[in-house]
């Protein structure tokens, strides 16, 4: 993901632009805490609640943020209608997520957007950076995919680990072995969700009660959609 840092930069730019430099943030499907780590480096007075179900990634996050009182980490299943009850706060200035919600199909994702709308304060924001494909441009999509996968192959040839290799190493790690085994019992091998267009996400967010929603960043394959409550 060569543009990963660029999407995070734009995400944090828009946090500052909409809710200021001291936000209370919900890092949704936080994984190892990639968003929270960058958030706190840029905004030292921010606080973050990370929520995820993956025990291996949460183990890494808990180790990384150990002792940091600005961070709370919560185990919860976003498919559970009552997941918001596990949060330490009832409202947040910003809810942020990246490269995670494509694990969900469109119907449960739209339902999740409705739940997110209940925890974003009035004037607050939600941002989702993820794979968002435009089905109306199949030739462009095919060219982009071929180019992206060629780059991935070059990275592997240069020694970069792919997804499966990274998890194989985690399964052998003395700290991560059991959480990784549990993770695969929960999720299986990989996502089987949907990657609808940025327009779909914006429309679903407006239907969920957000006043405005549109992409604020895009690459050939991904987009960052911002919704303002």
């Amino acid at each position: 993901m060569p543009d990963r840092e660029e999407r995070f930069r734009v995400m944090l730019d828009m946090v500052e632009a909409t809710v200021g430099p001291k936000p209370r943030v919900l890092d949704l499907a936080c994984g190892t805490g990639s968003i929270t780590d960058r958030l706190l480096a840029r905004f030292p007075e921010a606080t973050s609640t990370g929520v995820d179900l993956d025990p291996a990634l949460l183990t890494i996050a808990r180790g990384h943020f150990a002792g940091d009182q600005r961070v709370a980490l919560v185990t919860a299943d976003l498919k559970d209608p009552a997941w918001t009850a596990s949060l330490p706060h009832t409202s947040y200035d910003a809810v942020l997520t990246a490269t995670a919600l494509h694990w969900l199909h469109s119907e449960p994702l739209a339902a999740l957007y409705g739940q997110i709308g209940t925890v974003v304060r009035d004037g607050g924001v939600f941002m989702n950076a993820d794979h968002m494909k435009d089905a109306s441009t199949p030739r462009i999509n095919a060219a982009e995919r071929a180019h992206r996968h060629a780059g991935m192959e070059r990275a592997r040839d240069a020694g970069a680990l792919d997804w499966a290799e990274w998890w194989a190493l985690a399964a052998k790690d003395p700290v991560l072995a059991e959480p990784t085994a549990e993770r695969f019992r929960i999720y299986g091998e990989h996502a089987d969700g949907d990657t609808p267009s940025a327009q779909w996400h914006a429309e679903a967010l407006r239907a969920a009660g957000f006043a405005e929603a549109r992409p604020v960043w895009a690459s050939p394959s991904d987009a960052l959609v911002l919704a303002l409550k």
Side-chain angles (χ1 to χ4, degrees):
M1 297 176 65
D3 53 27
R4 190 167 186 248
E5 294 306 321
E6 176 70 7
R7 75 186 66 194
F8 286 141
R9 181 192 65 78
V10 175
M11 177 181 281
L12 296 181
D13 281 351
M14 295 310 298
V15 167
E16 186 172 25
T18 54
V19 297
K22 302 178 184 180
R24 174 190 289 171
V25 169
L26 176 59
D27 186 351
L28 196 70
C30 65
T32 61
S34 298
I35 291 175
T36 294
D37 191 50
R38 289 158 177 80
L39 172 81
L40 298 179
R42 179 160 167 180
F43 306 123
E45 295 184 72
T47 60
S48 180
T49 300
V51 59
D52 208 303
L53 185 61
D54 189 316
L57 299 186
L58 281 173
T59 296
I60 295 171
R62 291 189 174 108
H64 182 69
F65 295 108
D68 193 332
Q69 299 303 310
R70 298 170 298 176
V71 180
L73 294 166
V74 173
T75 300
D77 185 352
L78 298 181
K79 293 180 180 179
D80 180 353
W83 69 269
T84 59
S86 301
L87 302 176
H89 306 290
T90 57
S91 70
Y92 290 84
D93 301 310
V95 178
L96 309 176
T97 188
T99 324
L101 299 189
H102 63 274
W103 283 75
L104 300 176
H105 288 289
S106 298
E107 186 174 343
L109 179 55
L112 177 64
Y113 281 169
Q115 294 171 313
I116 291 168
T118 68
V119 297
V120 177
R121 68 163 174 83
D122 288 345
V125 293
F126 167 72
M127 281 182 266
N128 179 15
D130 209 343
H131 312 312
M132 299 184 186
K133 296 180 181 177
D134 187 336
S136 70
T137 59
R139 293 167 59 200
I140 295 173
N141 297 349
E144 180 281 325
R145 185 178 188 278
H147 184 267
R148 174 163 43 88
H149 278 262
M152 292 165 65
E153 287 300 323
R154 290 192 297 271
R156 289 191 189 101
D157 291 343
L161 297 176
D162 66 14
W163 190 88
E165 291 167 336
W166 191 93
W167 281 110
L169 286 178
K172 298 176 182 177
D173 183 272
V175 175
L176 294 176
E178 179 50 38
T180 296
E182 178 62 19
R183 179 231 185 264
F184 280 96
R185 285 193 288 269
I186 293 170
Y187 290 112
E189 286 299 319
H190 212 287
D192 64 350
D194 299 331
T195 54
S197 68
Q199 181 181 355
W200 180 93
H201 286 272
E203 291 173 354
L205 286 161
R206 286 191 290 267
F210 287 87
E212 300 178 10
R214 70 169 177 86
V216 292
W217 173 90
S219 74
S221 62
D222 293 10
L224 169 61
V225 171
L226 182 153
L228 184 68
K229 186 74 178 290

